[in-house]
């Protein structure tokens, strides 16, 4: 496992991190057994993954609870870098979620997260999404207070544009950005990545498997199409005409993966954390079987020639997809 430094901190993070959204056992990812989540945590840490990414909104506190309870019980808190988030809230019996980055709510949230995670401090504390109703400067000032108090070791934002990061940095040091990034969602490449590189901001890429699509399993392995229909990417990519285009794409990509003795999943993750400016890939992992596969993405290199072939294949797919549905890479940050 390779580790990379988070600039401005003393932390070195593994090139793959464990994403724990599914541990929330919520409507987005469907049923997830806590015992199975604990097996994944145990095996991931034993295998050298040192960053665990969670958020209060994942299962409305449940993902943080599972992670916190596990780390306390196993005495592993000091061995991991815990990354969580703030800024989204929920109400009982209301399926909707809301932004809330008022300073009072932020203070309440950090205490609630520390309690669920059973820790005094959070290693990387990330603003989950910008809140259109609260100025970025105010959010950054509150984050700065947490940082100065030493209850967070590094400051992060997620789903921020360059302009939003520039504003944030006027009031608070910024160590990490967590954007969506994968072979199928590359909108950060043009502006966000160069800005972060120049500004020494580490990039933690989320959804590197594009919510599981890049495993290729739905196209080549006859894995039944899941019914978690609220994942828009799945609705689009698993429906014709995209389905057939994707199937063709994965057949070609698999030839490259196989030439290294690797799976499509391993190729997609390795490609991800080896792209310009990317520090690590946060891979959502629900079972030890998936984890073992995902760990095979580390400790090898895709050759420059094959990187070029992958680039051409992605361009081919992009052309084929024109006019076949909403291009998710055009999504605007609210
Ligand atoms: N900051 C944000 O706004 C934000 C947003 C989204 C995610 N995140 C973070 O990023 C993490 C990763 O994103 P994500 O979970 O949405 O998407 P992802 O990592 O692209 O995909 C994860 C899903 O792919 C499937 N999978 C993973 N490994 C597999 C394997 N080896 N073989 C077959 N299937 C496999 C699993 O789902 P199935 O078994 O159900 O197919 C898994 O839940 C999250 O857990 C969270 O920590 C952050």
């Amino acid at each position: 496992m390779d580790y990379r430094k988070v600039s401005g901190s003393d932390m070195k993070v593994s090139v793959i991190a464990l994403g724990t959204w599914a541990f929330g056992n919520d409507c987005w990812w469907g049923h997830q057994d806590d015992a199975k989540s604990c097996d994944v945590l145990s095996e991931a840490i034993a295998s050298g993954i040192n960053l665990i990414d969670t958020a209060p909104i994942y299962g409305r506190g449940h993902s943080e609870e599972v992670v916190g309870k596990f780390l306390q019980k196993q005495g592993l808190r000091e061995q991991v870098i815990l990354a969580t988030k703030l800024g989204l809230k929920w109400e009982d019996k209301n399926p909707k979620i809301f932004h809330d980055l008022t300073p009072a709510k932020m203070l309440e949230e950090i205490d609630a997260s520390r309690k669920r995670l059973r820790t005094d401090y959070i290693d990387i504390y990330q603003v989950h999404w910008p809140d259109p109703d609260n100025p970025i400067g105010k959010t950054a000032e509150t984050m700065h207070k947490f940082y100065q108090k030493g209850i967070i070791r590094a400051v992060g934002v997620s789903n921020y544009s360059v302009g939003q990061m520039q504003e944030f940095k006027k009031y608070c040091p910024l160590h990490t950005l967590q954007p969506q990034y994968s072979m199928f969602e590359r909108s950060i490449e043009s502006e966000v990545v160069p800005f972060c590189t120049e500004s020494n901001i580490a990039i933690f890429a989320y959804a590197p498997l594009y919510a599981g699509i890049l495993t290729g399993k739905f196209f080549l392995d006859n894995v039944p199409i899941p019914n978690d229909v609220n994942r828009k990417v799945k609705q689009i990519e698993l429906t014709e005409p995209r389905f057939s285009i994707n199937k063709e794409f994965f057949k070609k990509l698999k030839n490259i993966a196989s030439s290294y003795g690797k799976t499509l999943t391993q190729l997609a993750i390795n490609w991800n954390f080896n792209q310009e400016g990317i520090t690590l890939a946060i891979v959502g992992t629900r079972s030890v079987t998936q984890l073992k596969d995902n760990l095979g993405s580390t400790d090898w290199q895709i050759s420059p020639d094959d990187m070029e072939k992958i680039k051409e294949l992605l361009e081919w797919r992009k052309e084929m997809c024109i006019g076949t549905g909403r291009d998710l890479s055009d999504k605007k940050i609210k």
Side-chain angles (χ1 to χ4, degrees):
M1 180 74 69
D2 284 336
Y3 297 85
R4 293 174 178 167
K5 198 168 165 7
V6 173
S7 190
S9 82
D10 57 2
M11 286 181 259
K12 280 183 119 185
V13 291
S14 49
V15 287
I16 58 173
L18 182 66
T20 65
W21 185 2
F23 293 7
N25 187 23
D26 63 13
C27 62
W28 292 92
W29 284 102
H31 180 68
Q32 174 77 11
D33 195 55
D34 292 351
K36 205 167 159 186
S37 301
C38 290
D39 290 345
V40 175
L41 281 161
S42 178
E43 190 74 26
I45 297 167
S47 307
I49 291 180
N50 72 352
L51 191 134
I52 300 169
D53 181 71
T54 182
I57 204 68
Y58 301 161
R60 300 177 175 221
H62 192 68
S63 171
E64 285 190 333
E65 285 273 1
V66 169
V67 171
K69 217 189 257 183
F70 171 84
L71 293 176
Q72 187 185 56
K73 201 166 164 201
Q74 301 301 322
L76 289 171
R77 171 65 186 99
E78 299 303 318
Q79 285 189 36
V80 300
I81 294 172
L82 257 185
T84 193
K85 315 186 186 84
L86 81 170
L88 296 177
K89 71 173 180 188
W90 62 89
E91 292 165 353
D92 281 346
K93 295 184 184 153
N94 187 345
K96 284 192 187 152
I97 53 173
F98 307 90
H99 291 284
D100 192 344
L101 284 169
T102 50
K105 182 67 180 169
M106 290 173 74
L107 283 166
E108 202 184 290
E109 273 215 69
I110 192 166
D111 286 341
S113 281
R114 288 191 300 166
K115 196 167 168 205
R116 285 190 291 260
L117 288 165
R118 299 168 190 224
T119 184
D120 293 336
Y121 66 97
I122 291 161
D123 298 293
I124 302 178
Y125 204 35
Q126 307 156 108
V127 179
H128 206 147
W129 282 88
D131 175 355
D133 297 327
N134 278 287
I136 285 187
K138 279 267 167 261
T139 304
E141 275 173 3
T142 309
M143 292 295 275
H144 199 194
K145 283 184 192 148
F146 297 152
Y147 184 58
Q148 284 171 322
K149 261 177 122 176
I151 51 176
I152 66 175
R153 291 174 68 206
V155 179
V157 293
S158 177
N159 302 302
Y160 265 46
S161 66
V162 168
Q164 289 164 334
M165 284 188 278
Q166 280 167 330
E167 179 64 10
F168 190 99
K169 272 165 56 63
K170 289 182 196 161
Y171 305 90
C172 180
L174 182 57
H175 303 96
T176 66
L177 168 72
Q178 188 179 134
Q180 186 179 165
Y181 183 64
S182 71
M183 281 184 181
F184 283 8
E185 167 45 85
R186 298 170 58 192
S187 52
I188 62 166
E189 285 178 359
S190 55
E191 290 172 15
V192 171
V193 172
F195 174 78
C196 289
T197 305
E198 256 168 51
S199 315
N200 289 320
I201 297 170
I203 298 183
F204 297 173
Y206 79 68
L209 295 174
Y210 207 55
I213 295 285
L214 290 167
T215 62
K217 64 184 177 182
F218 304 112
F219 308 93
L220 303 185
D221 302 334
N222 296 321
V223 169
I225 300 210
N227 58 6
D228 47 353
V229 284
N230 38 15
R231 302 305 306 274
K232 286 228 164 50
V233 295
K234 285 189 178 163
Q235 282 174 27
I236 293 173
E237 301 303 337
L238 294 170
T239 308
E240 293 294 0
R242 289 274 179 108
F243 185 88
S244 296
I245 298 167
N246 287 331
K247 189 169 179 167
E248 202 51 35
F249 168 82
F250 285 117
K251 270 192 206 159
K252 293 175 180 162
L253 193 65
K254 196 172 177 177
N255 289 335
I256 301 178
S258 303
S259 70
Y260 294 90
K262 294 290 174 184
T263 63
L264 274 171
T265 306
Q266 292 162 347
L267 183 82
I269 301 171
N270 182 296
W271 176 93
N272 195 299
F273 65 70
N274 280 313
Q275 293 307 298
E276 192 72 41
I278 304 299
T279 306
L280 61 79
I282 308 174
V283 193
T285 306
R286 314 184 61 159
S287 66
V288 170
T289 309
Q290 288 184 354
L291 178 71
K292 287 188 172 152
D293 186 14
N294 301 346
L295 283 164
S297 64
T298 64
D299 302 319
W300 62 284
Q301 286 286 328
I302 301 171
S303 72
D305 274 2
D306 284 329
M307 279 291 190
E308 199 49 44
K309 279 187 200 155
I310 295 170
K311 193 172 158 201
E312 283 163 19
L313 261 180
L314 286 169
E315 272 157 23
W316 170 83
R317 177 185 171 273
K318 199 171 168 191
E319 293 259 309
M320 295 296 289
C321 285
I322 291 171
T324 60
R326 184 162 73 100
D327 180 354
L328 290 159
S329 66
D330 287 343
K331 77 178 183 332
K332 295 270 183 295
I333 293 170
K334 290 180 270 318

